Amino acid sequence: MEQEALPLPELAVPSESTTGLTTTRAPFIEDAQRSGKLFITQPYELYSEANHAAWNTLYKRMLPRWKIYANEHFLEGISSLCLSPEAVPRLSDVNRFLAPLTGFEAKPVSGYVPAFVFFDCLRARKFPTTITIRDGSRLDYLPEPDLFHDVAGHVPMHTDTAFAEALVKFGECARTAVQLTSGIQDEHLRAQRLTSIIKAMARFFWFTIEFGLMRGRGRDLKVYGSGLLSSFGEIEHAIESPQVQRFPIQLEWAINQGFEIHHYQPLLFIVDSFDHLFNLVDRLERWMREGKLNNVAPGEPEVNEADLLSFIHADVVD
């Protein structure tokens, strides 16, 4: 896979105590959160040498595994984005290559994005993107998203037209949920109904966009889920381990199946293609309208108050 590397920026050398965009240790992010700023700019000059080194290590060690286990659409996407292995990418450069392909753009955020806001961004072809990167001593596991997960795991898939359309359609489901429940006068019933729908959507996203498998051109199983594509250990485990159960996806199973985030996934679902994925999203929305998502099975993930309120207070007027 040939890549055209972008020229590396000249890096400033700021004070250690005030700079760096390391996950959980980034004063810039803390200030933005205190100010209530969700959508921000990427202050590229704040990345430390350690941040660039972490990106370099993560990218270079993933590259051989992508070539073995990633689906061809991801590999084409990585090539199209012209990511440099040497330094943290500028999102403006990422978007320069991405936007002409599918209209998507990486939109920097200061941290957690409430569920409705996140899904509605997808509808508008904007992907909320974390700008901090994990510490070099914690490369193998991070419970929260970081820049490597978002840019190297998610964004290459956004270069594929069929996958992008499925994401947009999924984003539209959030608006459908708000419209279907906005007329419910009983606040408890409305919250209960939305909680079930959000849980179903979160499970679907997890088992497809984050941890999905797909048949490759040679009918071998390949990875397209971003949680796998950004994990050095789990990408191989997902394909090779006999401990993983792999089944053709059934929508009714996926939306009623709980999951836990703190270990390798024991159950993965396979889609036939991204057209198949789009059709699944279309059916998900249809089932929502028919009331089939109103009482999904209890269990993980739990829907927190911020996610629920983001749907209850959503303004869906264009």
Side-chain angles (χ1 to χ4, degrees):
M1 179 175 58
E2 297 296 327
Q3 294 191 39
E4 173 195 345
L6 295 173
L8 296 182
E10 293 185 7
L11 300 178
V13 186
S15 163
E16 283 285 335
S17 62
T18 59
T19 63
L21 289 169
T22 306
T23 304
T24 73
R25 297 196 309 278
F28 174 85
I29 293 297
E30 293 167 8
D31 290 344
Q33 291 174 343
R34 276 194 296 267
S35 302
K37 294 179 182 176
L38 178 58
F39 298 106
I40 57 175
T41 58
Q42 182 190 29
Y44 195 83
E45 70 282 357
L46 295 186
Y47 287 109
S48 66
E49 291 183 6
N51 293 152
H52 291 292
W55 171 271
N56 178 264
T57 300
L58 287 162
Y59 192 97
K60 285 185 174 178
R61 73 176 190 163
M62 283 303 304
L63 193 55
R65 297 209 167 185
W66 286 336
K67 290 178 178 178
I68 298 170
Y69 299 114
N71 75 90
E72 59 267 23
H73 305 284
F74 174 85
L75 297 176
E76 291 167 2
I78 281 283
S79 179
S80 297
L81 294 176
C82 301
L83 298 176
S84 168
E86 304 301 328
V88 170
R90 294 179 184 271
L91 295 186
S92 58
D93 288 330
V94 170
N95 290 335
R96 180 161 57 91
F97 291 109
L98 174 61
L101 297 175
T102 62
F104 259 87
E105 66 174 278
K107 190 173 181 66
V109 295
S110 64
Y112 174 74
V113 182
F116 179 83
V117 178
F118 179 85
F119 295 143
D120 206 46
C121 280
L122 299 183
R123 181 192 65 85
R125 297 180 187 265
K126 301 180 189 301
F127 182 70
T129 303
T130 310
I131 64 168
T132 56
I133 189 165
R134 68 196 74 177
D135 188 286
S137 64
R138 300 176 63 204
L139 296 181
D140 287 323
Y141 175 72
L142 199 69
E144 63 269 25
D146 75 334
L147 182 140
F148 186 79
H149 170 77
D150 283 350
V151 174
H154 277 281
V155 174
M157 297 305 309
H158 303 167
T159 65
D160 182 86
T161 301
F163 184 86
E165 292 305 319
L167 269 191
V168 172
K169 182 66 174 174
F170 185 76
E172 290 172 355
C173 288
R175 292 204 155 206
T176 300
V178 171
Q179 291 164 350
L180 288 174
T181 58
S182 60
I184 300 176
Q185 299 301 314
D186 184 317
E187 293 184 4
H188 177 74
L189 178 60
R190 186 184 183 197
Q192 182 182 58
R193 188 76 48 84
L194 277 171
T195 297
S196 180
I197 292 173
I198 296 167
K199 192 183 293 281
M201 291 183 65
R203 287 169 173 169
F204 182 88
F205 193 88
W206 180 266
F207 285 115
T208 57
I209 308 305
E210 290 286 0
F211 286 89
L213 303 179
M214 185 171 69
R215 295 288 175 190
R217 289 194 178 110
R219 303 305 295 163
D220 292 334
L221 276 184
K222 297 292 183 179
V223 166
Y224 77 90
S226 302
L228 300 173
L229 289 166
S230 58
S231 172
F232 179 76
E234 193 163 10
I235 189 172
E236 178 181 31
H237 185 266
I239 300 298
E240 304 287 359
S241 174
Q243 299 175 354
V244 178
Q245 299 181 77
R246 307 170 188 89
F247 293 98
I249 191 167
Q250 298 176 46
L251 184 57
E252 59 272 32
W253 186 356
I255 64 174
N256 286 288
Q257 176 68 47
F259 61 82
E260 297 179 352
I261 69 172
H262 297 294
H263 53 71
Y264 286 179
Q265 297 302 299
L267 171 66
L268 300 174
F269 292 114
I270 306 162
V271 301
D272 298 330
S273 65
F274 293 143
D275 288 335
H276 180 206
L277 179 62
F278 182 93
N279 289 336
L280 286 167
V281 179
D282 186 59
R283 195 190 318 163
L284 181 76
E285 185 179 39
R286 205 162 59 242
W287 282 14
M288 189 187 300
R289 294 184 184 280
E290 294 170 359
K292 294 181 179 179
L293 307 189
N294 290 350
N295 291 288
V296 298
E300 294 293 334
E302 295 303 321
V303 177
N304 63 42
E305 184 179 16
D307 285 338
L308 178 59
L309 290 177
S310 72
F311 275 77
I312 288 175
H313 298 311
D315 180 3
V316 298
V317 178
D318 289 317

